[in-house]
Amino acid sequence: MTISKRTPQQIRDDRNARRRAQRLTERRDRMAKHAAFDLVSYGPWTDGVPNATPARVARHATGLYRSYLKGNDITTAEGDTALRYVLQTKGLPTSHLDQTTTAA
């Protein structure tokens, strides 16, 4: 039985890599929420519901933060999460998002 002992430097490097990954995820989440807030607040509405979709949120966030993203664009899944968060924060229904998801 071989026991491999990790050095303190390896432990630090692994911990720092996990922290960097977490900060990146949080930064991308903030970018997507900013784009969703813009589209819900200032974008077009139909029948009391904003026309924002997860794809539009992803496209808008990528447009706003393209230089920071460096080719790693905001995904539709991140856009969906951000849009649901913003709609819930503003007290708006999210049921129309479920309809467009199942219809596609």
Side-chain angles (χ1 to χ4, degrees), residues 11-23:
I11 293 169
R12 266 192 308 274
D13 290 345
D14 291 345
R15 185 177 59 231
N16 288 339
R18 285 192 306 270
R19 287 177 179 169
R20 276 192 301 276
Q22 180 64 32
R23 283 195 305 267

Side-chain angles (χ1 to χ4, degrees), residues 30-101:
R30 280 193 306 272
M31 291 175 188
K33 285 178 183 177
H34 174 215
F37 182 82
D38 278 357
L39 291 175
V40 169
S41 298
Y42 307 112
W45 288 51
T46 304
D47 297 327
V49 177
N51 289 349
T53 63
R56 285 183 183 171
V57 171
R59 196 167 42 250
H60 188 60
T62 299
L64 287 171
Y65 294 103
R66 183 171 303 280
S67 62
Y68 296 106
L69 294 171
K70 296 182 171 82
N72 191 8
D73 296 348
I74 300 292
T75 64
T76 305
E78 290 170 319
D80 183 56
T81 303
L83 184 56
R84 287 179 189 277
Y85 172 81
V86 169
L87 290 173
Q88 288 173 353
T89 300
K90 290 183 165 280
L92 298 169
T94 59
S95 58
H96 68 284
L97 295 176
D98 297 327
Q99 294 168 357
T100 58
T101 304

